[in-house]
């Protein structure tokens, strides 16, 4: 599942919103419904930093001995 703010998330939200609008839901309600549906899925929480650099300075990392 894509993370909020990513291009994949925005693409899926737009697709879900369009499907809701086509079924007769108002614009604002369609946007809310699309966001809720995407956020109900698992794995939307940030997975944290993906690289060593993203974890911060080596001496300030949790569990660091320096």
């Amino acid at each position: 599942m894509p993370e909020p703010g990513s291009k994949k998330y925005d693409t899926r939200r737009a697709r879900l919103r369009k499907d809701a609008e086509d079924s007769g839901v108002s614009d604002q309600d369609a946007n809310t419904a699309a966001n809720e549906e995407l956020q109900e899925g698992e794995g939307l929480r940030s997975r944290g930093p993906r690289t060593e650099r993203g974890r911060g300075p080596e001496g300030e990392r949790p569990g660091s001995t320096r």
Side-chain angles (χ1 to χ4, degrees), residues 12-28:
R12 286 187 181 181
R13 185 178 55 81
R15 188 171 294 131
L16 288 170
R17 183 174 181 227
K18 183 176 182 190
D19 291 344
E21 287 175 357
D22 289 344
S23 66
V25 178
S26 70
D27 288 346
Q28 187 174 10

Side-chain angles (χ1 to χ4, degrees), residues 8-45:
K8 281 187 177 184
Y9 181 90
D10 291 341
T11 303
R12 286 187 181 181
R13 185 178 55 81
R15 188 171 294 131
L16 288 170
R17 183 174 181 227
K18 183 176 182 190
D19 291 344
E21 287 175 357
D22 289 344
S23 66
V25 178
S26 70
D27 288 346
Q28 187 174 10
D29 293 338
N31 193 34
T32 303
N35 282 331
E36 287 176 359
E37 185 172 336
L38 285 173
Q39 290 177 5
E40 285 177 359
E42 293 183 28
L44 289 181
R45 290 179 284 287

Side-chain angles (χ1 to χ4, degrees), residues 1-6 43-56 61:
M1 188 57 73
E3 294 181 14
S6 69
L44 289 181
R45 290 179 284 287
S46 176
R47 296 182 299 240
R50 292 176 182 85
T51 64
E52 287 294 312
R53 183 176 181 155
R55 293 178 55 209
R61 295 180 191 160

Side-chain angles (χ1 to χ4, degrees), residues 56-62 64-66:
E58 188 172 359
E60 297 177 10
R61 295 180 191 160
S64 178
T65 58
R66 289 188 176 177

